[in-house]
Amino acid sequence: MQNKIVAISTEVADAVRETMRAPVYGFPAHKELATDAAPCRHCLRLITPQVDDAILFTYDRFTGVEELPQPGPIYVHAKECSRYDEHDGFPEELRGSARTLEAYARGRRLIAQEYVVDGAFEPAIARLFSNRAVDYLQVNSTTAGCFTFRVERTCD
Ligand SMILES: [Zn+2]
């Protein structure tokens, strides 16, 4: 059984590209030629440095799951891209970088976390979800601290 990989919504990505403002907050977004290979939070592919324009904006990483916000900076491709398919498993382009998996219960209660540095994400995800109290996982960059995507249980 595959868990769901949940990237930011297409509505959010399109709204930022169109308005150059952060959703909800309205802070100005910033567009520039990418200088390092950060993941786009919409397609979950790496933004190519010196080739692709990236938009940096403020995003509440608990959008859609909690009422309590926790905004932080994230990147998307400045040009239109396809949202990552929720059923495609862990994004292969992101396997090579260190990620922190945070396991939450509803109400934003942090229950456990794992630091993955060797690309073995699936066993770590399975271990965290083996605790029935865990409702979803937040995946963040370990080195930069920024939100990357969410993992949700499939119905079981
Ligand atoms: Zn993208």
Side-chain angles (χ1 to χ4, degrees):
M1 183 194 61
Q2 191 91 277
N3 296 298
K4 273 170 47 177
I5 304 296
V6 183
I8 67 166
S9 73
T10 300
E11 289 70 23
V12 165
D14 284 349
V16 169
R17 289 165 180 151
E18 191 180 317
T19 66
M20 287 302 290
R21 298 253 167 204
V24 181
Y25 302 101
F27 303 139
H30 178 73
K31 179 159 80 173
E32 65 180 13
L33 186 65
T35 52
D36 61 6
C40 169
R41 272 52 164 204
H42 183 243
C43 64
L44 300 184
R45 300 176 65 97
L46 295 175
I47 298 170
T48 308
Q50 310 305 331
V51 173
D52 292 332
D53 281 332
I55 298 175
L56 179 69
F57 68 100
T58 302
Y59 179 73
D60 166 24
R61 72 188 187 109
F62 289 100
T63 295
V65 285
E66 303 284 358
E67 288 183 8
L68 297 170
Q70 197 171 81
I74 63 170
Y75 285 101
V76 289
H77 281 113
K79 284 192 181 147
E80 194 181 336
C81 59
S82 299
R83 184 170 183 262
Y84 192 78
D85 189 313
E86 295 184 350
H87 305 289
D88 274 358
F90 192 91
E92 289 303 329
E93 286 204 21
L94 307 189
R95 194 177 289 282
S97 49
R99 304 268 153 209
T100 303
L101 311 181
E102 297 176 338
Y104 283 90
R106 298 274 174 211
R108 215 178 77 184
R109 290 184 296 118
L110 181 62
I111 291 182
Q113 59 183 356
E114 290 213 22
Y115 298 100
V116 178
V117 294
D118 59 0
F121 288 97
E122 287 82 355
I125 291 168
R127 275 194 301 277
L128 291 166
F129 274 138
S130 70
N131 181 342
R132 300 305 302 173
V134 171
D135 290 311
Y136 61 92
L137 311 181
Q138 296 278 88
V139 180
N140 306 314
S141 161
T142 299
T143 50
C146 309
F147 171 72
T148 317
F149 60 90
R150 186 167 67 245
V151 186
E152 294 181 356
R153 290 180 189 277
T154 45
C155 293
D156 55 357

